[in-house]
Amino acid sequence: MEDYHKPDQQTLQALRNIANRLRISSIKATTAAGSGHPTSCCSVAEIMSVLFFHTMRYRPEDPRNPNNDRFVLSKVRGSMWHAVASGSNPGCLSLQKQQFVDVATGSLGQGLGAACGMAYTGKYFDKASYRVYCLLGDGELSEGAVWESMAFASYYQLDNLVAILDINRLGQSDPAPLQHHMEKYQRRCEAFGWNAIIVDGHSVEELCKVLGQPRHQPTAIIAKTVKGKGIPGNHMGWHGKPLPKDMADSVLKELNSRILNNNKRLYPPTPMDDAPPVSVRNIRMPSAPNYKPGEKIATRKAYGLALAKLGRYNERVVALDGDTKNSTFCEIFRNEHPNRYVECYIAEQNMVSVAVGCAARDRNIVFASTFATFFTRAFDQLRMAAISESNINLCGSHCGVSIGEDGPSQMGLEDIAMFRAIPTATVFYPSDGVSTEKAVELAANTKGICFIRTSRPENAIIYNCNEDFHVGQAKVVYKSNDDQITVIGAGVTLHEAVAAAEQLKKERINIRVIDPFTIKPLDAKTIIDNAKATRGRIITVEDHYYEGGLGEAVCSSVVNEPGFSVHRLAVAHVPRSGKPAELLKIFGIDKDAIIQAVKKMMGSSANAK
């Protein structure tokens, strides 16, 4: 960074004027709307003024320009964005608010993780000079995810990242725990390996100076501020409340009187044009899968092989993992493409946020992996990723009781329910190496959140390498002209269903077996058409709890079909450790359980007649 040049007095006064215009805009907007956070906005007015009109390099007419500095507003809601976007500096700019926002952060504690992903991309993938600024509130510093992000930024020496901490002392219902003990915040940030500087958050001179200093490590600017600065009175209890009109009118009059005549117009510095052009569309595998029918491979390993293969001819494919790469097989990608692999360690919340940041502005195709069960702790980050309209791909391995001896804490048994509940999610559940490779390729080209559920046991290849797969298209893998029941399985239970079909065939009982491939969207048409051929009789079998999984998805898809009957097999209660085959048997989702369910369903149908 160039040496700091102290701004002249005209510039400093112009920045003060902008800060007060920001206060005016946020008060006007929140009073008119009858909701919002004017006191939270008022504490950061000088910070926003200096950032947007003096420090950050960007092209205001082109908010998505890849060379622009990034800004993540982690602490407050849209009222401050409205204030900045309203043209608070006459003759300068009117920010296109929505285009400038890269991620949604209304659930506090997540902004810094996304900023880390952007900064990592800037430093290591783009090798560009744009910087990332993240504004946090003191209330959200109680969130553990913030400190996961602090550790990540320090470890990877993200010297292009600046966190500005708005220490305005007051939370929503109480003062923040450290109140205005600035040196305690400083020591905590320093303990996490950051350069931490305490400033007066209402001094544009101090802010200009500290934001203009050269940096050799991530920097935390700890800004002492007053919540509701510019609004008279005690602001405890005013969080999230707009000013009544009569009070707003009085405050606006006072704020307007503080704006001094100044003809200086401020323009943001122009960014360097050194971010490489990137395309993340039409990401394709270089060749078809290369598996032999009957060959055995775990889908978790097929995922690792597929991801490395996808990365071979697509340089913007990047992979993240949470210290499970030798179990998720993401290590295959790491070994082949070490410069595009990010180790996030055991911090899954931060890993998801970093993934969102890496994917922002369509800079990368991001895959992040860990055990399926560990994504549950990042559900808040996942739901916010959906609100951000983020395109990220997640692979959860070690699903279900079929992992065996590792025990229930490691078994993903709620993950399908969780991802099905996310509006933008696509849920892939491949059952062999071929379909896993196709899932990876499809996920790279599917908008929204993609979840690929992989298993630990080795299972046989059942598809030809030239088989065509599509999102929302199921496969009929076993059928005859006189099938009695349609059985739907996925992953290990699909193979149990095929084994059951082969056994039943010897007893002259024919069943049809369907592989849904994606649980969301579910191919309702294929399920209904085939179930009609088996008198509406369906059995679902899944290595997942009953709630929210494959069975409930199927029930929802056929609920309006007259004469349909669905019998569900799933894991009924918290499991324990054991051999995979033993656990499948104990929980009634193995071949024998399917055979018994088929015979019972056929018997009940016969009795009904």
Side-chain angles (χ1 to χ4, degrees):
M1 183 188 287
E2 68 283 350
D3 291 336
Y4 168 71
H5 296 290
K6 185 177 179 181
D8 58 35
Q9 288 303 313
Q10 268 195 311
T11 298
L12 293 172
Q13 186 56 50
L15 290 169
R16 293 187 196 101
N17 287 350
I18 292 169
N20 282 315
R21 288 195 184 101
L22 289 170
R23 290 189 174 94
I24 289 166
S25 293
S26 60
I27 291 168
K28 281 183 175 178
T30 52
T31 297
S35 67
H37 296 71
T39 57
S40 297
C41 296
C42 286
S43 67
V44 296
E46 283 78 13
I47 294 168
M48 295 291 276
S49 170
V50 172
L51 272 174
F52 273 90
F53 299 96
H54 184 264
T55 302
M56 286 175 54
R57 299 164 176 251
Y58 63 98
R59 300 182 187 277
E61 75 285 356
D62 185 10
R64 307 298 290 176
N65 190 302
N67 298 288
N68 287 349
D69 285 351
R70 276 60 162 164
F71 175 71
V72 178
L73 182 61
S74 192
K75 74 159 243 123
V76 289
R77 317 307 195 273
S79 44
M80 179 52 78
W81 269 124
H82 175 85
V84 178
S86 65
S88 53
N89 188 20
C92 174
L93 75 161
S94 179
L95 288 175
Q96 298 174 56
K97 176 174 63 171
Q98 293 306 319
Q99 288 82 7
F100 206 89
V101 176
D102 290 302
V103 293
T105 57
S107 186
L108 296 176
Q110 299 188 22
L112 188 58
C116 283
M118 296 175 194
Y120 192 101
T121 294
K123 181 169 183 174
Y124 295 107
F125 299 147
D126 286 345
K127 296 181 171 60
S129 52
Y130 63 81
R131 305 178 189 112
V132 182
Y133 299 87
C134 181
L135 178 58
L136 299 95
D138 48 2
E140 68 180 308
L141 297 179
S142 292
E143 288 281 4
V146 171
W147 301 97
E148 289 183 7
S149 305
M150 295 284 276
F152 178 94
S154 169
Y155 181 76
Y156 287 110
Q157 285 296 289
L158 299 181
D159 52 3
N160 57 346
L161 175 62
V162 178
I164 302 112
L165 314 184
D166 174 32
I167 311 300
N168 66 25
R169 193 179 75 84
L170 299 179
Q172 175 168 324
S173 63
D174 251 331
L178 298 185
Q179 300 203 29
H180 268 152
H181 293 289
M182 309 301 288
E183 69 290 342
K184 290 185 179 179
Y185 285 108
Q186 185 178 39
R187 287 199 296 270
R188 289 186 183 187
C189 293
E190 287 173 345
F192 275 80
W194 285 55
N195 176 31
I197 308 164
I198 298 171
V199 299
D200 175 355
H202 298 304
S203 167
V204 294
E205 297 96 325
E206 286 189 36
L207 289 165
C208 286
K209 183 177 181 181
V210 75
L211 285 164
Q213 288 178 353
R215 294 184 289 275
H216 307 289
Q217 64 192 108
T219 295
I221 296 172
I222 305 166
K224 185 176 183 179
T225 63
V226 176
K227 190 163 185 171
K229 175 75 170 176
I231 303 171
N234 176 9
H235 303 117
M236 190 68 242
W238 276 89
H239 183 90
K241 295 178 182 177
L243 273 61
K245 189 175 185 312
D246 56 345
M247 183 179 179
D249 289 343
S250 170
V251 172
L252 292 172
K253 184 177 179 182
E254 170 62 24
L255 288 171
N256 271 304
S257 73
R258 297 182 189 178
I259 298 173
L260 305 182
N261 286 334
N262 187 325
N263 295 324
K264 179 128 185 183
R265 293 181 178 181
L266 302 183
Y267 298 89
T270 303
M272 299 280 287
D273 288 325
D274 57 1
V278 166
S279 173
V280 294
R281 293 172 187 240
N282 202 28
I283 304 293
R284 297 295 175 213
M285 285 291 185
S287 58
N290 184 25
Y291 292 103
K292 297 179 178 63
E295 176 187 353
K296 286 196 167 186
I297 187 171
T299 53
R300 62 172 177 149
K301 185 173 183 180
Y303 166 78
L305 290 167
L307 189 58
K309 182 177 176 180
L310 189 70
R312 221 166 283 159
Y313 289 86
N314 301 280
E315 292 188 351
R316 298 307 293 207
V317 172
V318 302
L320 287 63
D321 196 277
D323 192 30
T324 55
K325 57 185 173 292
N326 55 346
S327 292
T328 62
F329 282 92
C330 188
E331 67 178 0
I332 300 172
F333 183 96
R334 195 279 307 263
N335 294 339
E336 195 169 322
H337 315 289
N339 294 333
R340 286 185 274 139
Y341 172 80
V342 187
E343 178 56 68
C344 295
Y345 298 98
I346 302 170
E348 291 85 3
Q349 294 182 27
N350 186 61
M351 179 175 74
V352 172
S353 291
V354 169
V356 170
C358 286
R361 301 201 187 185
D362 295 328
R363 299 306 291 170
N364 302 293
I365 297 289
V366 183
F367 284 82
S369 52
T370 185
F371 287 16
T373 194
F374 300 148
F375 278 117
T376 59
R377 75 193 310 156
F379 182 64
D380 193 18
Q381 281 73 12
L382 295 167
R383 60 176 280 274
M384 289 306 299
I387 294 169
S388 297
E389 299 179 1
S390 181
N391 301 315
I392 56 172
N393 307 295
L394 308 165
C395 178
S397 73
H398 290 63
C399 65
V401 299
S402 58
I403 72 166
E405 292 85 349
D406 283 359
S409 68
Q410 314 296 297
M411 295 171 176
L413 288 161
E414 314 87 354
D415 51 306
I416 295 176
M418 178 174 72
F419 281 99
R420 280 185 66 224
I422 296 172
T424 67
T426 300
V427 181
F428 294 90
Y429 195 175
S431 299
D432 77 343
V434 173
S435 55
T436 302
E437 186 167 318
K438 291 293 188 177
V440 168
E441 183 178 32
L442 286 166
N445 293 281
T446 300
K447 286 196 173 297
I449 296 169
C450 290
F451 176 61
I452 303 172
R453 191 178 205 237
T454 63
S455 304
R456 187 180 190 181
E458 294 184 347
N459 285 118
I461 299 295
I462 56 175
Y463 293 110
N464 292 322
C465 288
N466 59 358
E467 184 77 29
D468 202 20
F469 286 84
H470 298 280
V471 172
Q473 185 182 89
K475 300 286 184 184
V476 180
V477 298
Y478 204 97
K479 70 179 288 189
S480 73
N481 291 329
D482 58 346
D483 292 330
Q484 304 293 303
I485 291 173
T486 295
V487 177
I488 305 169
V492 295
T493 63
L494 180 74
H495 295 272
E496 295 294 325
V498 169
E502 290 170 346
Q503 176 66 39
L504 286 164
K505 188 176 182 180
K506 294 173 185 173
E507 302 177 37
R508 296 186 179 178
I509 301 171
N510 291 312
I511 64 172
R512 192 162 296 190
V513 179
I514 291 178
D515 170 12
F517 182 58
T518 55
I519 310 297
K520 180 183 178 180
L522 191 70
D523 185 354
K525 184 179 186 305
T526 294
I527 290 169
I528 291 167
D529 289 350
N530 282 276
K532 282 178 177 175
T534 61
R535 304 177 203 175
R537 297 184 296 204
I538 299 172
I539 294 173
T540 64
V541 54
E542 59 189 307
D543 198 358
H544 185 276
Y545 287 137
Y546 274 94
E547 292 78 11
L550 171 64
E552 287 197 352
V554 170
C555 285
S556 297
S557 72
V558 303
V559 68
N560 294 321
E561 295 297 320
F564 271 45
S565 171
V566 181
H567 180 69
R568 297 187 292 143
L569 302 177
V571 178
H573 53 83
V574 176
R576 55 183 61 189
S577 178
K579 301 280 186 192
E582 292 173 348
L583 292 171
L584 291 176
K585 186 175 187 64
I586 288 168
F587 288 96
I589 55 172
D590 68 344
K591 175 187 76 171
D592 293 340
I594 295 168
I595 290 171
Q596 189 178 348
V598 166
K599 290 179 176 177
K600 184 178 180 183
M601 189 173 243
M602 288 178 66
S604 357
S605 299
N607 294 336
K609 290 177 185 175

